[in-house]
Amino acid sequence: MPDATPAGVDLLPCLSRLELRFDSSASLVASDAHDDPATLEWDCRAVLPLREPDDEEAVADNARLLTPGISPAQTSRGEHQELTILTVSGLTLDLWRIGNVYASLDSRDADHEHFAPLFDTSGDLGLHSDPEECLVSGDQVVIIDRVRIAPAWRGLGGVGRLLIGRTLRWVAGRAAIVATHPYPIDIPVGERDDAAPEAREKAVVQRTWQSLGFTPFREDVWVMQSHTRDHDDAVERLESAFAQHL
């Protein structure tokens, strides 16, 4: 899969056309740990609507954007076509209402089990005692499960980080902690048993999250605490860098 923008396609002018689309779901009544009403599953897509093909320029522009690597998925919204360029999925836990956080995480896939070190009865509201001081600014934990950006949008100076920051403004408003498990999910199958490529790609992913104000906590879990300004300052710097395109 290519890691650079396809020749002849300038993507940055398309930034102002991007839209964020959110979906979320939570159970009304608990039937098991997975259905705990105090957990909200959510996902967000950054989509690029294609132009109405009403003249030759629009048709040519759409054709350029249909180049492989710019989007892994083309969908329809009514009569309009749009390209998905980034997906973010996660889970929000309401610490005041959740019954058994370990059972809730364990009932999901292995990706969510990585976040168990965040929680410990030694801290307030079931959080580990180390980060509990940030509860002054929130009573939820937002877990970022997976982030995937189309290859052509990588290496453009932080487009992916800008979109993640904009996403978190909507999903992390009441969060005491936002957590992620930085791991290169796109490592080719043939390289997954080789420690060197994994370590190299993992370091790249960790630097990305570090540049967004996340810091290592325990066992490869990284956190952003909303009472600090590190994340907000990082997003503001990105917005300034891309100002001419926003």
Side-chain angles (χ1 to χ4, degrees):
M1 184 176 291
D3 291 326
T5 304
V9 182
D10 186 5
L11 296 177
L12 291 182
C14 297
L15 280 181
S16 61
R17 293 164 52 189
L18 295 181
E19 300 176 3
L20 296 179
R21 306 274 173 78
F22 294 88
D23 290 300
S24 60
S25 64
S27 298
L28 182 63
V29 178
S31 59
D32 54 35
H34 187 276
D35 291 333
D36 193 320
T39 62
L40 176 77
E41 294 184 351
W42 54 266
D43 62 77
C44 174
R45 295 182 300 128
V47 301
L48 174 60
L50 295 181
R51 296 172 59 182
E52 292 286 348
D54 49 9
D55 57 43
E56 292 184 1
E57 181 182 353
V59 171
D61 181 57
N62 290 346
R64 286 192 295 269
L65 292 173
L66 291 173
T67 304
I70 291 181
S71 170
Q74 178 181 354
T75 57
S76 299
R77 195 182 192 198
E79 298 180 353
H80 304 286
Q81 301 294 309
E82 59 189 28
L83 305 178
T84 296
I85 69 163
L86 175 134
T87 58
V88 186
S89 61
L91 189 69
T92 298
L93 310 177
D94 185 333
L95 298 177
W96 283 108
R97 299 189 301 119
I98 197 165
N100 187 321
V101 66
Y102 293 107
S104 183
L105 293 175
D106 187 59
S107 69
R108 301 170 193 277
D109 57 36
D111 289 342
H112 290 98
E113 294 176 15
H114 290 303
F115 297 97
L118 283 171
F119 305 96
D120 191 294
T121 54
S122 64
D124 291 338
L125 293 180
L127 274 177
H128 191 277
S129 58
D130 288 347
E132 70 179 54
E133 65 181 31
C134 66
L135 288 175
V136 296
S137 59
D139 53 15
Q140 296 178 348
V141 170
V142 171
I143 290 173
I144 302 172
D145 179 14
R146 293 201 171 204
V147 178
R148 182 171 272 120
I149 186 169
W153 294 84
R154 302 170 188 170
L156 298 181
V159 170
R161 288 178 286 143
L162 173 67
L163 294 174
I164 291 170
R166 289 289 183 91
T167 298
L168 291 180
R169 283 180 177 173
W170 290 107
V171 302
R174 296 181 58 193
I177 292 176
V178 181
T180 190
H181 177 252
Y183 187 82
I185 59 177
D186 290 329
I187 293 180
V189 175
E191 298 181 6
R192 291 179 183 175
D193 294 329
D194 189 336
E198 179 186 24
R200 183 172 59 251
E201 295 301 319
K202 186 176 178 180
V204 172
V205 177
Q206 289 177 339
R207 284 196 297 271
T208 296
W209 288 103
Q210 184 176 31
S211 71
L212 280 171
F214 284 72
T215 57
F217 176 55
R218 301 174 71 200
E219 300 179 29
D220 283 338
V221 173
W222 288 52
V223 299
M224 180 267 286
Q225 299 183 3
S226 56
H227 71 292
T228 71
R229 284 284 311 174
D230 293 346
H231 174 72
D232 290 337
D233 290 345
V235 175
E236 288 175 5
R237 286 193 295 270
L238 287 165
E239 290 174 334
S240 295
F242 289 109
Q244 63 177 313
H245 302 295
L246 297 176

